[in-house]
Amino acid sequence: MKYIYTSIALLLIVSCQKVQKDNTGDNELSILQKADIPYLKGESRKIFDAKPSEDFDNYQWFTNDHCFVTDHNGQLHWFGINNPYPPEGKELYRYHPYLGHLVSDAAEKNWKRLPFALDESKGTEYLGAPFVIWHEESERWVMVVETLLEGTRRLEVCWSQDLLDWERTNKAILPDKLWISSRDPHIMKGEDGKYWIHIVSTGNEGIKQSQVLRIRTKDFESFEDPETILGINDNNFATLIESPGLLERNGLWYLLFTYAHRRYTETIVVVSDDPNHFDYEKNTLTTLFGHAAKIFSYKGKSYISSCGPEDRHYFSHQSVSIAELGWLKQQ
């Protein structure tokens, strides 16, 4: 019996030492080792056709940057770039007359097309990437979208009571402080109670690199100066990254962006314990399949989307697809 008690005591001592060692090791883990790794579960499937209807016109259609938002009745909305390939005499990436709008009660099916959210087919013929969020303070929906103001691409705020009718402000956000290539907004409410608008740009603080910037606002009327939360020294003339998105999970922050000018469907994930700073060189966690990917949750599931392409030489798929999103916890 004495030997049994002695064996049990030794086992407990060894176990305690192992727990202490593991706990010490946890504290020494790098951010990359602590992070959960996102991945696509199963197939990425098309959820609707890019073209409004077969008889709408004689052109092939495409999609590009977009967003998902759930209304107060639980219906899921999609807003995004949705256009025909340019007819003769029009330019690719310049002929963007429509902002598409669809709704569904099931993320993977049942999508119904509504009238265009915005239509510039008889105006500037340009509408860029939109992002929509509920503005709690004014109890309205707010959209930030790239438009053509006085002949220059700028970010503009639009408002809606019902996600159907949108009122434009026709005012540019920080026109004297944002490079003209600033685009692809992502919006979330930050820890400071302000709304964080994330965009891609270059030239902030005089540095010509691919950047993700944050602009803080409370009312979408006045805006704080842009701050760089990620910079990549990969160019000297324009941003080469697109479509940023930010989320928090278990105390870490995950910044996603498309590296479209390297690979069209390459979405990079960089992780940080500080939402104000992301290190591309040291803390790139993984690469996901998808262009202009958006992560959203609906009816208890998380999804990741992809869209496009805005280029004819790609085969057959110019619409939007989604896959269920999983997270791999590292050992």
Side-chain angles (χ1 to χ4, degrees):
M1 184 66 70
K2 179 175 69 174
Y3 295 111
I4 294 175
Y5 287 145
T6 302
S7 298
I8 292 174
L10 287 171
L11 180 61
L12 288 172
I13 291 171
V14 171
S15 297
C16 289
Q17 288 175 340
K18 184 177 186 302
V19 169
Q20 290 174 348
K21 183 179 179 181
D22 287 347
N23 287 340
T24 301
D26 283 344
N27 293 331
E28 296 174 353
L29 292 177
S30 69
I31 292 175
L32 289 176
Q33 291 170 320
K34 293 177 183 178
D36 296 341
I37 303 175
Y39 66 97
L40 277 67
K41 296 174 66 174
E43 183 186 3
S44 181
R45 295 189 176 185
K46 185 174 76 170
I47 55 174
F48 58 80
D49 290 324
K51 191 171 183 176
S53 65
E54 285 298 321
D55 59 354
F56 191 88
D57 58 25
N58 296 322
Y59 302 108
Q60 185 179 8
W61 282 57
F62 66 89
T63 58
N64 209 324
D65 292 70
H66 57 273
C67 67
F68 295 85
V69 61
T70 303
D71 67 24
H72 301 309
N73 296 316
Q75 194 169 45
L76 185 63
H77 294 245
W78 179 92
F79 294 92
I81 294 171
N82 191 191
N83 295 293
Y85 286 107
E88 187 175 353
K90 305 292 183 180
E91 296 180 16
L92 188 65
Y93 301 109
R94 171 59 182 85
Y95 184 69
H96 270 218
Y98 304 114
L99 208 62
H101 184 194
L102 292 92
V103 295
S104 177
D105 59 3
E108 299 172 10
K109 59 184 179 180
N110 301 340
W111 286 93
K112 176 185 176 183
R113 186 173 287 274
L114 299 181
F116 296 120
L118 293 175
D119 183 346
E120 278 289 332
S121 58
K122 294 180 172 57
T124 64
E125 296 184 343
Y126 187 83
L127 295 164
F131 199 93
V132 176
I133 192 172
W134 176 249
H135 185 242
E136 299 173 13
E137 291 75 5
S138 66
E139 297 187 339
R140 294 179 294 172
W141 298 97
V142 61
M143 175 194 294
V144 174
V145 60
E146 188 183 26
T147 62
L148 207 63
L149 296 174
E150 298 180 357
T152 303
R153 294 183 186 181
R154 296 295 187 187
L155 292 171
E156 180 184 345
V157 174
C158 304
W159 296 96
S160 177
Q161 299 287 349
D162 56 9
L163 292 173
L164 300 174
D165 298 312
W166 291 91
E167 180 182 352
R168 292 185 56 176
T169 59
N170 294 304
K171 295 180 180 178
I173 297 175
L174 300 177
D176 299 326
K177 295 181 178 178
L178 291 178
W179 198 273
I180 58 172
S181 64
S182 302
R183 62 186 186 277
D184 300 355
H186 165 267
I187 312 171
M188 64 185 296
K189 195 147 193 192
E191 298 177 315
D192 56 3
K194 300 175 183 178
Y195 293 87
W196 296 354
I197 306 173
H198 302 114
I199 58 173
V200 295
S201 189
T202 188
N204 192 43
E205 298 179 342
I207 304 172
K208 293 183 180 179
Q209 59 182 188
S210 292
Q211 298 171 332
V212 176
L213 308 184
R214 174 178 298 142
I215 303 167
R216 302 174 196 253
T217 183
K218 290 183 177 180
D219 54 14
F220 289 89
E221 294 178 4
S222 58
F223 303 90
E224 297 181 15
D225 288 349
E227 53 193 289
T228 304
I229 65 171
L230 174 135
I232 304 177
N233 297 316
D234 58 1
N235 76 95
N236 58 8
F237 64 95
T239 182
L240 301 181
I241 60 177
E242 300 180 342
S243 313
L246 180 65
L247 62 91
E248 184 272 339
R249 178 180 172 85
N250 297 332
L252 293 179
W253 295 85
Y254 297 79
L255 178 65
L256 294 81
F257 54 88
T258 291
Y259 223 137
H261 295 274
R262 186 166 70 177
R263 298 182 186 93
Y264 192 84
T265 53
E266 180 181 52
T267 292
I268 302 294
V269 183
V270 182
V271 64
S272 177
D273 57 5
D274 178 1
N276 301 313
H277 176 71
F278 293 83
D279 192 323
Y280 169 77
E281 297 296 335
K282 294 181 180 179
N283 291 324
T284 294
L285 178 65
T286 190
T287 301
L288 297 172
F289 167 84
H291 176 74
K294 292 292 179 288
I295 291 176
F296 67 98
S297 296
Y298 189 64
K299 294 188 175 180
K301 283 188 177 181
S302 292
Y303 297 94
I304 183 169
S305 65
S306 182
C307 64
E310 193 168 326
D311 202 325
R312 292 178 188 273
H313 75 267
Y314 282 82
F315 177 71
S316 77
H317 180 45
Q318 286 80 27
S319 190
V320 176
S321 60
I322 64 170
E324 190 175 349
L325 183 72
W327 291 87
L328 178 65
K329 191 170 184 62
Q330 302 187 67
Q331 295 296 322

